[in-house]
Amino acid sequence: MRRFAVALPVAFQKAAKQLIPAERYFDDPIATLAYGTDASFYRLLPKLVLRVESEAEVVTLLKLANQHKVAITFRAAGTSLSGQAVTDSVLLVLGENWQQREVRGLGEQIRLQPGVIGAAANSVLTKFQRKIGPDPASINSCKIGGIVANNASGMCCGTAHNSFNTLAAMRLVLFDGTVLDTEDSDSVASFRQSHASLLADLALLAEQTRQDEELCAKIRHKYRLKNTTGFSLNALTEFTDPIDILIHLMVGSEGCLGFISAVTYNTVPDYPHRASGLLVFPSVNECCQAVPVLKQLPVSAVELLDRRSLRSVEHKAGMPEWVKQVSEGACALLIESTAVSAKVLQQQLAELRAVVQGFTLEQQVDFSTDPKVYNQLWAIRKGTFPAVGAVRETGTTVIIEDVTFELSQLAAGVARLQQLFAKYRYDEAIIFGHALEGNLHFVFTQGFDDPAEVKRYASFMQEVTQLVAVEFGGSLKAEHGTGRNMAPFVELEWGQAAYQLMWRLKKLLDPEHILNPDVVLSNNPQLHLQNLKPLPATNPLVDKCIECGFCEPVCPSRNLTLTPRQRIVTQREISRLQATGEDAVRLKALNKAYQYAGNDTCAACGMCSTACPVGINTGDLTRQLRAENNRRWQGLATFLARHFAAVSAMARFGLNTGQHLAKMLPGWHRAMPTAMPTAIATATPNVKRAALHKKNPALKPVIYLASCSSRVMAPQANSQDSRSLMQVSTDLLAKAGYQLITAPGLAEQCCGMPFLSKGQLAAAELKQTALNQWLLQTSNWGQIPIYSDSSPCSLTLQGKLDPRLTIIDSVDFLYQQVLPKLSITPQSEPVALHISCSASQLGQAATLKQLTAACTGQVVIPEGISCCGFAGDKGFLLPELNASALSGLAAQVSKCSRGVSTSRTCEIGLSQHSGIEYQHLVYLLDKCAR
């Protein structure tokens, strides 16, 4: 095997710098650390990270790598669990320009670029009642490139619907930079001519494989099971055309045989009607004996959960009380059935119930079509993995292994795994999995900071691999890919003949061994015990992070600086270096870089917590760090909090003055040399002074809690509706019979968020205490309800005020109290809806959609924008964060007449970057409620 130089060749670096712009070329300590981490328990620091945005860049870089013998690793979302997406050489990370998708016919096929998130692919297929076959648990975060490269599957996918078996076509780039598109006849013809020798060698290998009866039998056996260990040798037995062989070898190749730049799937039905039930058996044996019976019935998923899995979630809110009482040896099956119609579903359920009556059960939740019931059941299943992660000891990692047994051996396999857990004292280990395929996941916690712990893990894995691969003839990796984790055991599972065949394929398609070396195939028997990721304690707010990367798609700074996962990774390394005292130079560099990349550009919006399996809000960490960094400003913050009305008045004066200057001297703000004047000036074309309007003594009283942003900033100068938010809210609610009261003293009130976001916790508490007292007095000690016009304020105040107070956010009040009393005339033009991060965390997404849909038949919700990145005043002070978060907005809303949201500051940035005006939802409702 070729050994690579410690340092990258200067000629390669120079050529890469000429090709990749500086903002996408990373070789600094913080970027290489951040990208050196994926969801696995391995870490390697790349020497160079390049964010690639086109196939042409990949082609050139592969040619350079081949020329200079530089190892290349490809990375999509980095949710890989087996160490496939880390390297100590050059890492090519997919940028944002790999999002193209094309639906064919009535959804029977879909062509996707590798940067498309799996859930986004399914979203465009929903109207056709179709979906892609693979359904990995990480589908909301992982990307098509990784799904195909790892041949990922999932709960309902089985083997029939994985990428290998639903692949229709592929566009790929080989090690030498050659592009092949199997949907382009010219490309295929050209490739057959230019790479005739390669295709002949593939055809010969396939023919030799088919003539080896023993090898063919092993391949057939292996792929009757779920199996992603090693390369896809079934490509050699199931296809004769070397082009077909080639593209199917790419499936599951983990970036070791080439780069996948587009894939076309044959989609599968996504039936709209579903029901789920839970069966609890008194023993593992009885549970597993039921699986082959269920496999013959109309079920789409059967998930096994052992007693420890149930115990890990039994204390969670909403869990049935009886979960705590099931016997020690119990084992459960969560079953789902789906159908094209309600009638067919009921027929299927009748068949299932008849069979279930023959089982001996401890407990049962009958099959239900009620979303509340079946969502709760699936919460049990989905909560098991994060539950182990949440209780692990700080400093340990969570390992999830992924094996397959023959169905006939499933009960024995579970029992033997449990014996190994006991032998090696993995007392917290749980087993769950996709029972229909004999695919089991087992999860346990493991520390790697003690040589004795590493030895325990090594011995345990040695026995696990022997048990699964040799004794039971199963698969060591069913759906998580081989990676570095199982590379040393590929020969153990497959035998020498198949293993050497894989090496021949590697040599044929990557002769210089530059593509992801040591992944899938390795000559290093200790590879799985090397480069183990440290997880030192850094802060209790984030210590439970398992670095899965699920948070990244919803982070507004993901394309500008760091993601929540990367912020935590960096803080952990900073804490480690501080504790050990090693490499003071690196520590200083990380601290310095983190100020902008980690602290300043964090929106602290909390969206990461909505996607995190263990509920971590990295924004809390950011606010705490800001509090530590900004202690010298505590006195000023307290002064501003005590004189808030004057501060607001100054802000209104500044914005009003800026507006007049903008009218007299267009573009004057662009000449301002300092950050703050430029920020104010940039805002002035979009905002003007908002005046408090007088209260109307009629109708049913409701206290109006107007946010400071809505009090300071009115609609943009050329707005479709120039009324203040206060005025339009009063007008609209009056139509429904409510009187909004703007009580004296409102100008002094604030929810505290402007201070919280900067880490000024004392000033924030001061404002919240004052607001609490003011609201009690103005609401007659809670007798009058309070209407909050801004989702960020409503979220900030959640759980912070006197329980006698009834604060209702505008979205909920409009939906529950106002809409039913209005006569709405919908408009014909499409409307763009921005569900702000605060509204999302308040659980208002569905409500917002319904309110907007009442006013238009065409609600457009832009994909990939969960937080606008304006983040209070960061849109003024760090406009690049807002611009990055909304970079894909304009193209998605170009046909919309207007946009709606529930936060005034969000609306400023949304209007600036969309080309249409965004206003609070009340403007649209008031327009349509004639």
Side-chain angles (χ1 to χ4, degrees), residues 377-695:
L377 292 178
W378 282 98
I380 297 176
R381 161 64 177 85
K382 294 176 181 178
T384 51
F385 177 39
V388 175
V391 299
R392 66 184 170 83
E393 183 180 342
T394 299
T396 64
T397 190
V398 180
I399 296 178
I400 178 169
E401 284 299 348
D402 167 45
V403 301
T404 307
F405 295 103
E406 289 267 19
L407 276 187
S408 60
Q409 299 175 315
L410 187 60
V414 172
R416 292 290 299 280
L417 286 174
Q418 290 175 333
Q419 291 171 12
L420 287 179
F421 296 156
K423 177 178 179 180
Y424 287 97
R425 300 298 301 167
Y426 289 112
D427 300 323
E428 76 294 344
I430 64 173
I431 297 176
F432 58 88
H434 317 316
L436 291 179
E437 306 298 331
N439 176 196
L440 298 178
H441 302 312
F442 54 95
V443 181
F444 58 100
T445 63
Q446 175 69 56
F448 289 123
D449 55 352
D450 182 346
E453 279 294 287
V454 177
K455 184 178 180 180
R456 176 173 73 131
Y457 172 72
S459 299
F460 172 69
M461 288 306 298
Q462 199 67 42
E463 289 210 45
V464 166
T465 55
Q466 187 71 25
L467 167 72
V468 175
V470 179
E471 186 175 340
F472 281 84
S475 304
L476 293 173
K477 283 294 183 182
E479 56 183 7
H480 293 169
T482 310
R484 298 172 180 277
N485 189 18
M486 284 299 166
F489 303 103
V490 175
E491 185 174 11
L492 178 71
E493 175 174 333
W494 277 98
Q496 186 178 29
Y499 186 61
Q500 290 305 317
L501 177 58
M502 291 180 191
W503 273 113
R504 291 174 68 184
L505 290 167
K506 173 69 171 174
K507 182 67 175 178
L508 185 62
L509 293 168
D510 181 22
E512 297 296 337
H513 206 69
I514 64 169
L515 300 179
N516 217 4
D518 271 339
V519 169
V520 179
L521 301 180
S522 176
N523 290 321
N524 181 355
Q526 300 299 308
L527 184 73
H528 63 302
L529 304 176
Q530 298 171 355
N531 302 301
L532 300 169
K533 185 196 314 183
L535 287 174
T538 183
N539 189 301
L541 292 171
V542 297
D543 280 340
K544 296 303 181 186
C545 174
I546 54 180
E547 298 183 5
C548 62
F550 285 12
C551 57
E552 295 187 337
V554 298
C555 177
S557 63
R558 65 186 183 275
N559 297 318
L560 178 65
T561 50
L562 299 180
T563 65
R565 167 169 64 175
Q566 293 171 336
R567 287 183 169 91
I568 295 170
V569 166
T570 306
Q571 282 299 308
R572 281 174 167 164
E573 182 65 1
I574 288 172
S575 296
R576 188 188 72 81
L577 292 174
Q578 288 172 337
T580 61
E582 64 180 81
D583 206 342
V585 174
R586 186 163 182 262
L587 174 61
K588 182 178 180 180
L590 288 175
N591 273 316
K592 181 179 179 181
Y594 191 84
Q595 182 57 43
Y596 176 78
N599 194 333
D600 294 348
T601 53
C602 177
C605 61
M607 282 304 295
C608 46
S609 66
T610 66
C612 176
V614 291
I616 293 171
N617 185 341
T618 313
D620 292 339
L621 173 65
T622 296
R623 281 184 285 270
Q624 189 175 102
L625 293 174
R626 288 172 182 170
E628 296 171 2
N629 294 341
N630 297 336
R631 286 174 182 166
R632 65 186 184 278
W633 300 110
Q634 286 180 353
L636 176 60
T638 302
F639 175 84
L640 294 175
R642 294 186 186 280
H643 301 85
F644 198 76
V647 173
S648 298
M650 290 174 63
R652 286 197 298 271
F653 175 78
L655 293 173
N656 206 24
T657 302
Q659 182 187 1
H660 289 305
L661 281 171
K663 289 179 178 177
M664 294 184 292
L665 301 170
W668 70 279
H669 56 277
R670 288 189 287 272
M672 297 300 292
T674 57
M676 183 58 73
T678 303
I680 292 175
T682 301
T684 54
N686 294 325
V687 294
K688 62 182 181 182
R689 185 173 64 86
L692 295 176
H693 70 264
K694 298 176 182 178
K695 69 177 183 178

Side-chain angles (χ1 to χ4, degrees), residues 634-644 748-753 755-756 760-774 797 801:
Q634 286 180 353
L636 176 60
T638 302
F639 175 84
L640 294 175
R642 294 186 186 280
H643 301 85
F644 198 76
E748 191 62 54
Q749 305 310 317
C750 173
C751 69
M753 186 180 64
F755 300 98
L756 276 174
Q760 296 297 346
L761 309 184
E765 185 177 1
L766 179 68
K767 293 312 298 176
Q768 288 177 355
T769 301
L771 176 62
N772 185 72
Q773 188 62 31
W774 180 79
L797 293 173
L801 302 180

Side-chain angles (χ1 to χ4, degrees), residues 41 81 156 225 246 255 282 318 359 523 534 577 646 687 692:
F41 49 95
L81 292 166
C156 301
L225 309 175
L246 175 60
F359 297 152
N523 290 321
L577 292 174
V687 294
L692 295 176

Side-chain angles (χ1 to χ4, degrees), residues 662-729:
K663 289 179 178 177
M664 294 184 292
L665 301 170
W668 70 279
H669 56 277
R670 288 189 287 272
M672 297 300 292
T674 57
M676 183 58 73
T678 303
I680 292 175
T682 301
T684 54
N686 294 325
V687 294
K688 62 182 181 182
R689 185 173 64 86
L692 295 176
H693 70 264
K694 298 176 182 178
K695 69 177 183 178
N696 185 341
L699 311 175
K700 186 176 180 179
V702 178
I703 302 299
Y704 189 7
L705 177 57
S707 69
C708 50
S709 60
S710 66
R711 300 196 306 261
V712 171
M713 296 179 287
Q716 62 189 42
N718 59 347
S719 174
Q720 299 179 54
D721 189 336
S722 61
R723 290 175 296 166
S724 70
L725 180 57
M726 286 184 177
Q727 184 64 60
V728 72
S729 298

Side-chain angles (χ1 to χ4, degrees), residues 833-840 844-846 848-849 861 865-867 900-901:
L833 170 61
H834 174 68
I835 302 171
S836 68
C837 48
S838 49
S840 179
Q844 297 173 335
L848 274 167
K849 294 175 189 176
I861 302 176
I865 298 173
S866 53
C867 172
V900 295
S901 186

